[in-house]
Amino acid sequence: MADQQPPKDVNGKPQHEQDLGRRNFLKNTGLVAGGLVGGSIFGGLLSGGLDKKNDNIAKNDSNKGIEVTQARQFFTRHQDFKVLNAATEQILPEDELGPGAIKLGVPYYIDKQLAGRWGVNAYDYRQAPYAIDLKAVDQTAGPGGEQSILDRGMIFLLGLRKMDEESQKRFEVTFDKATEEQQIEIMTDFEANKVKMKGVKASEFFILLKQATLEGAYCDPLYGGNINMEGWKMKEFPGAVASYANYIESDEFAKLDPVSLRDYQGH
């Protein structure tokens, strides 16, 4: 009798490899989650909510107290927002281990941040000269060390529209309607800076997009992402716990239900 082959996903890859990749991704993003939870993208106290696609989440009793209205504040063109949805979902896809970027409210989180001070680099020093050799710039400080003359809102609009343009040129479909493989091909070329853009490098846009996606997935829900604290639940992160006095001397590990800053409102 022939050896039984392990189950494979739609791309022909062994399922265990896909699961391992997902787990490694979640593990690695934990290295930056601590900083992200603190909210390095803060545009103000912003209420969160759900996309219409996530109405089933809103019906869950565990979501009582969460603002469920959503309205775009920055993106005036619906197509730009659809490209953003598709791109963030590729960076953090949904699978059996948890929700992806869309269900976590990441696109709306990014929209709200771009509509605030963060989107126009309000607190940043914006005077020339700008660095030419971006390889010499500390990439951990942001996309190219924030060396573009464009603000973050402009970079997002240019980047998303260029992704859409590339998809139509290569595959004759808009980016949001392209296949998963086609979307990954385009985003990989952006990350490798193989796509030419004006005013900003494609790789700088990709770094900014990835950073904002992870922040939206792991921020406090008060700021518009991490809906129902699902991002924290995947990592078993307790959130904004006011005190660990009841657990600090215990020899046993305590798994706590996550707490949002929302839970302290009215106290």
Side-chain angles (χ1 to χ4, degrees):
M1 184 173 62
D3 294 337
Q4 184 176 2
Q5 296 296 318
K8 298 182 178 180
D9 63 11
V10 294
N11 298 319
K13 296 181 179 179
Q15 187 66 44
H16 73 276
E17 291 186 9
Q18 184 186 41
D19 295 343
L20 181 60
R22 169 73 173 192
R23 291 188 178 91
N24 286 337
F25 176 80
L26 291 175
K27 179 180 179 181
N28 292 336
T29 56
L31 298 177
V32 293
L36 301 179
V37 169
S40 56
I41 293 183
F42 281 157
L45 299 181
L46 303 171
S47 59
L50 301 174
D51 187 272
K52 291 182 179 179
K53 295 181 180 179
N54 304 327
D55 287 342
N56 60 317
I57 298 179
K59 295 177 182 179
N60 193 314
D61 290 339
S62 63
N63 285 300
K64 290 182 179 179
I66 293 181
E67 179 60 51
V68 294
T69 58
Q70 286 285 15
R72 297 196 307 272
Q73 300 179 25
F74 176 79
F75 290 99
T76 57
R77 284 178 40 174
H78 187 51
Q79 181 59 27
D80 295 336
F81 194 67
K82 289 198 292 186
V83 175
L84 177 66
N85 271 265
T88 56
E89 187 71 11
Q90 285 296 351
I91 293 174
L92 185 62
E94 176 182 8
D95 66 6
E96 71 282 356
L97 298 179
I102 293 177
K103 287 188 177 180
L104 287 172
V106 169
Y108 282 106
Y109 167 84
I110 294 175
D111 174 82
K112 289 176 172 60
Q113 301 306 316
L114 292 175
R117 293 188 178 96
W118 185 78
V120 294
N121 297 62
Y123 293 132
D124 297 350
Y125 181 77
R126 304 289 293 159
Q127 301 301 317
Y130 295 96
I132 298 177
D133 183 11
L134 295 180
K135 293 181 180 179
V137 178
D138 180 9
Q139 292 294 316
T140 61
E146 301 287 4
Q147 293 300 311
S148 175
I149 195 172
L150 304 175
D151 62 38
R152 297 183 185 100
M154 295 177 184
I155 292 175
F156 261 92
L157 289 178
L158 286 175
L160 293 173
R161 291 175 185 178
K162 188 64 176 180
M163 289 173 64
D164 208 28
E165 178 185 317
E166 282 292 310
S167 180
Q168 294 181 58
K169 181 173 66 175
R170 299 183 190 188
F171 313 117
E172 298 183 346
V173 293
T174 56
F175 184 84
D176 57 296
K177 294 181 180 179
T179 65
E180 179 180 348
E181 292 77 11
Q182 292 169 341
Q183 291 177 353
I184 291 176
E185 175 185 318
I186 292 174
M187 294 180 70
T188 300
D189 286 348
F190 267 76
E191 183 179 23
N193 203 35
K194 294 181 179 179
V195 179
K196 300 300 180 183
M197 293 181 60
K198 294 182 179 179
V200 65
K201 289 190 174 183
S203 56
E204 295 178 40
F205 163 66
F206 182 83
I207 292 171
L208 187 61
L209 173 65
K210 181 179 178 181
Q211 171 190 337
T213 299
L214 296 180
E215 294 200 17
Y218 300 122
C219 70
D220 191 286
L222 182 68
Y223 299 99
N226 188 18
I227 289 187
N228 198 30
M229 298 180 281
E230 291 296 333
W232 290 351
K233 291 176 183 177
M234 284 191 288
K235 291 181 173 293
E236 297 185 359
F237 178 71
V241 178
S243 173
Y244 293 94
N246 295 333
Y247 312 99
I248 195 169
E249 294 184 359
S250 175
D251 294 330
E252 297 182 2
F253 177 79
K255 182 178 179 181
L256 307 178
D257 292 331
V259 179
S260 167
L261 292 172
R262 288 176 178 272
D263 299 323
Y264 298 106
Q265 293 178 345
H267 292 279

